[in-house]
Amino acid sequence: MQVTKTVEETRALVKAWKREGKTVGLVPTMGYLHEGHASLIKKCREENDIVVVSVFVNPTQFGPNEDLEAYPRDFQRDSALCESLGADLIFHPEPEDMYVNPCAYVSIDTLSENLCGKTRPIHFKGVCTVVSKLFHIVAPDRAYFGQKDAQQLAIIKKMVQDLNFDIQIVGCPIIREADGLAKSSRNTYLNPEERRAALCLSRAVKKGQEIIAKGIDSETVLKEMRAVIETEPLAKIDYVSVVDALTMQDVEKVDRDVLVAMAVYIGKTRLIDNFSYEV
Ligand code: AMP
């Protein structure tokens, strides 16, 4: 497995692989890898000749008062995991390798305005910009994203369609801890009491899955899910919403494929979870 830092060395390696006729898969990450990331890397390994993992804590997707500095990092551990999963290359740039007085950004309307976009107004512009850059640098045949960040996945699919990236986007299911908590690098912020309280998210997901049905009012689903979260004193709801699976706009009735998504603060840590429902 190789590790590159600059755009130039990454491009040179990928071009050489492509000249040999090899297919390339990309798994974009911010590092501090866990089994959620590992599931993406494994799927990428199954479907491509070459597996590229990017490890980059992207500053442009963090707001001014968010956790850019505190975001957990452990490149040695990440590198060992990628190697054990058979990755061929980790692209691990520094912010200055990626951004030199940038003026050009990629943003996406509508889909980025609801859900996480309300509390994190610049987040998806940063995500779309860095993912576009990674797509241009690595030029993969396929790229792998988790359903854990369902709004991000919908946005990337739409961006690829609208901007004609010749890349297949592969969505991968949410990987959870044994007790139900969705795996996240941010779970490391939780103290033991918060870790227990954080289970209200997956409990609310379970409740939502039990009661949702074709034609039901969204408000009925949301009321029951909110009630589950509100039993937990350490939890503060940012949003719980039922949205159209493609447009990310609120829907009143479950009369089409929907995403039921939530963001909840547990203490100072903001966690997300979701489930999809197809009619
Ligand atoms: P991150 O490092 O948090 O930016 O995540 C990198 C990729 O891993 C994104 O596509 C995430 O959706 C995906 N991912 C993170 N956590 C999970 C999880 N628990 N299950 C599946 N995919 C995940």
Side-chain angles (χ1 to χ4, degrees):
M1 188 185 75
Q2 308 197 51
V3 178
T4 53
K5 189 171 115 60
T6 67
V7 172
E8 290 70 28
E9 52 184 339
T10 309
R11 279 211 166 115
L13 275 175
V14 175
K15 274 188 183 157
W17 281 319
K18 292 214 151 182
R19 270 197 300 273
E20 293 170 18
K22 294 188 163 148
T23 57
V24 175
L26 171 67
V27 182
T29 82
M30 297 209 298
Y32 212 72
L33 304 179
H34 49 66
E35 285 167 44
H37 300 106
S39 71
L40 273 54
I41 299 170
K42 283 181 198 155
K43 182 132 178 81
C44 182
R45 178 69 284 165
E46 282 164 23
E47 296 181 349
N48 302 277
D49 298 323
I50 297 292
V51 172
V52 180
V53 180
S54 61
V55 173
F56 179 55
V57 182
N58 173 40
T60 65
Q61 70 190 66
F62 288 80
N65 299 315
E66 293 183 356
D67 57 342
L68 173 61
E69 298 305 324
Y71 198 84
R73 294 159 168 89
D74 187 345
F75 186 69
Q76 268 194 354
R77 195 166 64 92
D78 291 348
S79 177
L81 180 70
C82 289
E83 176 116 56
S84 75
L85 294 170
D88 298 282
L89 170 65
I90 303 183
F91 176 40
H92 181 46
E94 295 296 328
E96 53 273 25
D97 299 311
M98 289 293 273
Y99 296 108
V100 184
N101 302 323
C103 296
Y105 294 90
V106 180
S107 60
I108 175 159
D109 296 343
T110 325
L111 281 82
S112 63
E113 285 151 19
N114 200 7
L115 308 179
C116 289
K118 280 193 179 157
T119 328
R120 309 187 72 192
I122 62 156
H123 176 66
F124 290 115
K125 180 176 168 189
V127 169
C128 286
T129 301
V130 79
V131 170
S132 298
K133 287 166 73 73
L134 291 168
F135 284 178
H136 287 305
I137 295 162
V138 177
D141 299 281
R142 299 183 192 86
Y144 296 78
F145 293 86
Q147 182 68 28
K148 155 92 183 349
D149 299 272
Q151 186 177 15
Q152 168 175 285
L153 176 58
I155 285 173
I156 299 293
K157 282 183 177 165
K158 185 75 174 115
M159 178 185 86
V160 161
Q161 183 188 17
D162 286 359
L163 300 183
N164 304 102
F165 281 99
D166 190 11
I167 298 172
Q168 186 193 336
I169 302 302
V170 183
C172 304
I174 302 177
I175 304 297
R176 297 179 180 277
E177 302 286 354
D179 60 7
L181 180 67
K183 288 192 183 257
S184 164
S185 308
R186 287 190 169 97
N187 291 349
T188 177
Y189 297 151
L190 304 170
N191 66 31
E193 202 189 342
E194 292 169 338
R195 172 64 182 76
R196 184 198 46 73
L199 289 177
C200 68
L201 282 92
S202 51
R203 279 202 203 107
V205 162
K206 210 158 164 253
K207 175 56 107 182
Q209 285 172 325
E210 277 164 19
I211 59 174
I212 200 165
K214 186 171 187 268
I216 195 174
D217 283 333
S218 300
E219 202 41 52
T220 310
V221 181
L222 295 176
K223 221 171 99 192
E224 298 245 11
M225 290 177 67
R226 285 196 199 103
V228 172
I229 300 166
E230 280 159 4
T231 56
E232 181 45 69
L234 291 181
K236 194 172 142 276
I237 295 176
D238 177 4
Y239 68 81
V240 189
S241 301
V242 181
V243 298
D244 179 294
L246 291 177
T247 65
M248 301 287 114
Q249 301 304 296
D250 290 358
V251 295
E252 283 182 11
K253 263 196 184 313
V254 182
D255 55 2
R256 66 198 91 175
D257 292 353
V258 295
L259 171 72
V260 183
M262 71 183 83
V264 177
Y265 290 93
I266 302 292
K268 288 203 170 97
T269 305
R270 186 174 175 280
L271 299 176
I272 56 174
D273 205 340
N274 70 79
F275 69 94
S276 297
Y277 179 77
E278 291 174 13
V279 298

